[in-house]
């Protein structure tokens, strides 16, 4: 389960803790960065120490044996930060650029699809590193090369999962609370492989953290958050980081989906201010803001039991997560029954599939972890009542975090899901939840800290943090 606090698992107060003078140098060399700074109880943060060392061996082997490598990063600020961290680290380690290639998934696709598997395998890279793509069980993402005995794939991730593709080496932060973002996990994995990772690339980790968690969740200098990244954050400035995150996130939300250009811009940048001032990223932000404003007031319809509110948009822009987050803030204060807000986009996929995002109602975000609704379980509850539904939709349904989930399913299956929920459709005689009004999100300025006021909801911290007055331009 995803925790968004920095409380110690051992029950100790979240304060800065240095190692004692009785700790031997040999013991220190085997400790994680967090354990060196805050004590041995943090040795398995941001991931189990053994898995971290195995992943480092995977990276060292690439460089030592001059192996070709394919980097497959996710499309958002966290994924691109993690990917560029790996790329720049390999360069610092004197790995030839000719041996490094990058694959970006096509719009609406996932790394487990046959199309993407074939594209990755066709690279013929000796090693494949997949970052921040989530996971599910199944066959290997790519088959081993002829006569290859070692594992070809390294998965670096933080999404909740207990199941992984076959024949893959896995480094996951999902069981080491508080859960690190993919970029932070990657940074701490690579930090000590070359001195320039810390000296020149640390800002990338901060971009990734803010992209998923915002500026208030990470408590730099408090266990287990690295104090050195807090220094980077203060030196380069909150505004530069926030604008960098909203900028690098914007291309993947546009209909053109120019993620490769966002990657190139970030890879060649030397600071967050370069991302914040980039003209292409600024234009993408304007386009996304205009499209979001167009659909932001789409009225939601309520399930018969009152637990779910659904709004449907039709656009080639990936704005459904933003709209779901905004409505979760507005509607969460209006209904005691509401658990989840879903925004479905019927226009994002050219093949007619429906992409949907679900967010927990804002009034429930402050509840203790064990009392918050599990949206993945809620979606599965409805799905299990539909004969054959789970078999037909496969692994693209109810993936991600329990507070923020979603899926990609055929339109016919989406209609069946809404029917099972009792959500009225245009022209339907079914009445919506009678005791809930659906005002548009307030146009007044939000009191909450946001990454970009024109893209509220871009980070995972918005999934857990109440926005008292969501802003709509």
């Amino acid at each position: 389960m995803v925790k968004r606090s920095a409380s110690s698992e051992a029950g100790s107060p979240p304060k800065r803790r240095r190692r004692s003078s009785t700790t031997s140098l040999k013991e220190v060399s085997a400790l994680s960065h967090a354990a060196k700074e805050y004590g041995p109880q943090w040795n398995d943060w941001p991931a189990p120490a053994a898995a971290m060392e195995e992943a480092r061996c995977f990276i060292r082997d690439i460089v030592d044996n001059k192996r070709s490598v394919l980097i497959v990063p996710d499309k958002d600020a966290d994924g691109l930060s993690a990917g560029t961290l790996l790329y720049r680290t390999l360069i610092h380690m004197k790995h030839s650029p000719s041996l490094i290639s990058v694959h970006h998934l096509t719009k609406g696709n996932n790394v487990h699809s046959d199309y993407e598997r074939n594209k990755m395998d066709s690279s013929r890279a000796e090693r494949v590193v997949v970052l921040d793509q989530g996971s599910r069980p199944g066959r290997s993402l790519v088959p081993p090369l002829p006569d290859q005995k070692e594992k070809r794939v390294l998965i670096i991730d933080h999404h909740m999962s207990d199941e992984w593709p076959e024949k893959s080496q896995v480094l996951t932060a999902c069981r080491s609370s508080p859960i690190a973002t993919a970029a932070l996990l990657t940074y701490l994995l690579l930090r000590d492989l070359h001195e320039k990772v810390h000296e020149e690339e640390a800002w990338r980790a901060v971009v990734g953290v803010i992209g998923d968690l915002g500026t208030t969740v990470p408590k730099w200098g408090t266990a287990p958050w690295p104090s050195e990244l807090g220094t980077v954050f203060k030196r380069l400035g909150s505004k530069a980081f926030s604008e960098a995150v909203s900028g690098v996130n914007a291309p993947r939300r546009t209909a053109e989906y120019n993620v490769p250009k966002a990657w190139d811009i970030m890879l060649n940048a030397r600071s967050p201010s370069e991302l914040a001032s980039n003209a292409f990223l600024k234009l993408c932000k304007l386009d996304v803001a205009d499209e979001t404003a167009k659909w932001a007031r789409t009225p939601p319809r309520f399930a018969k039991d009152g637990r779910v509110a659904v709004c449907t948009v039709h656009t080639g822009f990936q704005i459904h997560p933003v709209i779901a987050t905004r409505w979760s803030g507005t509607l969460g204060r209006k209904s005691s029954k509401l658990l989840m807000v879903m925004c479905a986009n019927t226009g994002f996929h050219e093949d007619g599939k429906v992409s949907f995002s679900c967010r927990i109602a804002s009034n429930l975000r402050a509840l203790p972890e064990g009392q918050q609704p599990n949206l993945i379980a809620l979606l599965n509850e409805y799905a299990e009542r539909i004969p054959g539904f789970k078999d037909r939709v496969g692994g693209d349904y109810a993936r991600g975090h329990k507070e923020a989930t979603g899926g990609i399913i055929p339109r016919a299956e989406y209609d069946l899901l809404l029917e099972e929920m009792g959500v009225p459709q245009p022209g339907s005689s079914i009445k919506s939840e009678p005791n809930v009004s659906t005002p548009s999100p307030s146009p007044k300025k939000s009191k909450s800290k946001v990454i970009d006021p024109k893209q509220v909801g871009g980070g995972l911290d918005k999934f857990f943090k109440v926005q008292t007055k969501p802003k709509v331009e």
Side-chain angles (χ1 to χ4, degrees):
M1 179 176 178
V2 179
K3 291 185 180 180
R4 301 296 166 180
S5 67
S7 59
S8 169
E9 294 176 321
S12 60
K15 62 183 180 180
R16 193 180 186 87
R17 178 173 176 175
R18 302 290 183 179
R19 69 177 180 90
S20 67
S21 58
T22 58
T23 305
S24 70
L25 291 177
K26 182 177 181 180
E27 290 173 323
V28 169
S29 65
L31 294 176
S32 71
H33 185 76
K36 292 175 184 178
E37 184 167 14
Y38 298 113
Q41 71 270 32
W42 292 105
N43 200 43
D44 286 328
W45 194 90
M52 290 284 280
E53 185 54 34
E54 290 173 359
R56 287 192 189 99
C57 289
F58 190 100
I59 303 301
R60 290 191 192 101
D61 174 73
I62 292 173
V63 177
D64 293 345
N65 292 290
K66 296 180 172 55
R67 301 188 188 278
S68 58
V69 57
L70 178 68
I71 299 174
V72 188
D74 193 24
K75 58 190 176 295
D76 64 3
D78 190 31
L80 294 178
S81 296
T84 57
L85 265 167
L86 176 56
Y87 192 107
R88 297 295 304 172
T89 298
L90 292 172
I91 296 299
H92 290 316
M93 296 175 73
K94 306 303 181 184
H95 199 55
S96 173
S98 65
L99 294 174
I100 309 172
S101 55
V102 181
H103 174 62
H104 300 289
L105 306 188
T106 55
K107 180 180 177 180
N109 236 336
N110 67 70
V111 75
H112 304 278
S113 70
D114 289 339
Y115 176 83
E116 301 297 348
R117 289 173 186 267
N118 291 335
K119 293 288 287 186
M120 290 186 289
D121 186 37
S122 66
S123 72
R124 308 312 293 168
E126 296 174 79
R127 297 291 184 266
V128 179
V129 183
V130 178
L131 303 106
D132 196 31
Q133 297 283 6
S135 189
R136 67 184 63 167
R139 70 186 192 278
S140 177
L141 293 176
V142 293
L145 295 173
D147 300 322
Q148 186 177 40
K149 297 180 180 180
E150 306 90 350
K151 289 180 179 178
R152 187 180 175 192
V153 179
L154 170 63
I155 295 174
I156 300 176
D157 199 58
H158 68 138
H159 296 86
M160 186 55 62
S161 182
D162 292 316
E163 301 173 301
W164 309 91
E166 298 172 353
K167 301 178 181 178
S168 300
Q169 186 167 324
V170 177
L171 178 66
T172 178
C174 74
R175 294 296 179 185
S176 300
S177 183
I179 296 176
T181 69
L184 180 54
L185 174 62
T186 303
Y187 173 74
L188 292 174
L189 169 69
L190 304 174
R191 181 189 183 278
D192 295 329
L193 295 182
H194 196 281
E195 62 272 12
K196 286 190 177 180
V197 176
H198 165 57
E199 295 171 358
E200 299 181 9
E201 313 299 344
W203 66 272
R204 299 178 189 274
V206 180
V207 169
V209 170
I210 294 175
D212 266 15
L213 302 179
T215 58
T216 59
V217 172
K219 307 298 182 184
W220 307 118
T222 299
W225 305 98
S227 58
E228 65 187 41
L229 294 186
T231 301
V232 173
F233 178 72
K234 291 179 181 179
R235 175 168 56 85
L236 298 178
S238 175
K239 181 179 179 181
F241 277 111
S242 296
E243 292 182 354
V245 168
S246 60
V248 80
N249 266 332
R252 54 112 173 183
R253 295 192 185 279
T254 66
E256 292 77 16
Y257 194 75
N258 200 340
V259 174
K261 187 163 185 176
W263 164 274
D264 289 340
I265 291 170
M266 185 165 195
L267 182 64
N268 293 312
R270 292 296 178 265
S271 70
S273 61
E274 289 187 29
L275 297 178
S277 61
N278 183 271
F280 173 76
L281 300 183
K282 285 185 174 182
L283 287 174
C284 289
K285 286 170 62 176
L286 291 174
D287 288 344
V288 172
D290 289 344
E291 192 70 8
T292 302
K294 176 181 176 181
W295 294 99
R297 300 180 189 278
T298 303
R301 299 172 181 269
F302 289 81
K304 190 174 182 179
D305 58 17
R307 296 188 296 170
V308 181
V310 180
C311 61
T312 304
V313 301
H314 186 85
T315 173
F317 284 65
Q318 192 188 38
I319 58 172
H320 39 287
V322 178
I323 293 176
T325 302
R326 290 187 174 187
W327 275 115
S328 71
T330 300
L331 299 177
R333 302 188 300 274
K334 300 293 182 179
S335 172
S336 60
K337 296 181 181 179
L338 185 67
L339 303 180
M340 178 177 81
V341 175
M342 173 193 292
C343 182
N345 190 345
T346 58
F348 187 67
H349 298 274
E350 294 181 359
D351 60 3
K353 288 186 177 181
V354 178
S355 184
F356 65 93
S357 295
C358 303
R359 302 293 181 260
I360 188 173
S362 63
N363 60 308
L364 305 176
R365 296 172 190 156
L367 291 175
E369 183 177 333
Q371 298 179 25
Q372 293 181 9
N374 185 328
L375 303 191
I376 293 176
L378 181 59
L379 283 174
N380 284 328
E381 177 187 330
Y382 289 116
E384 287 165 1
R385 300 175 191 167
I386 307 172
F389 180 89
K390 293 295 290 293
D391 292 333
R392 293 191 300 271
V393 298
D396 286 331
Y397 178 79
R399 311 297 300 186
H401 305 274
K402 78 180 192 70
E403 299 89 352
T405 183
I408 303 170
I409 59 178
R411 177 60 188 263
E413 304 299 338
Y414 172 69
D415 291 341
L416 287 175
L417 180 63
L418 294 191
E419 182 180 345
E420 178 57 42
M421 290 178 174
V423 176
Q425 296 303 294
S428 171
S429 60
I430 302 175
K431 292 185 178 181
S432 185
E433 169 63 29
N435 297 321
V436 180
S437 59
T438 56
S440 297
S442 169
K444 296 181 180 179
K445 184 176 181 180
S446 171
K447 293 182 180 179
S448 300
K449 179 71 175 178
V450 297
I451 291 175
D452 180 354
K454 294 183 179 178
Q455 295 189 69
V456 175
L460 281 177
D461 67 319
K462 309 303 184 296
F463 304 162
F464 314 110
K465 180 177 176 182
V466 177
Q467 295 183 12
T468 56
K469 296 181 180 180
K471 182 176 179 179
V472 175
E473 282 71 20

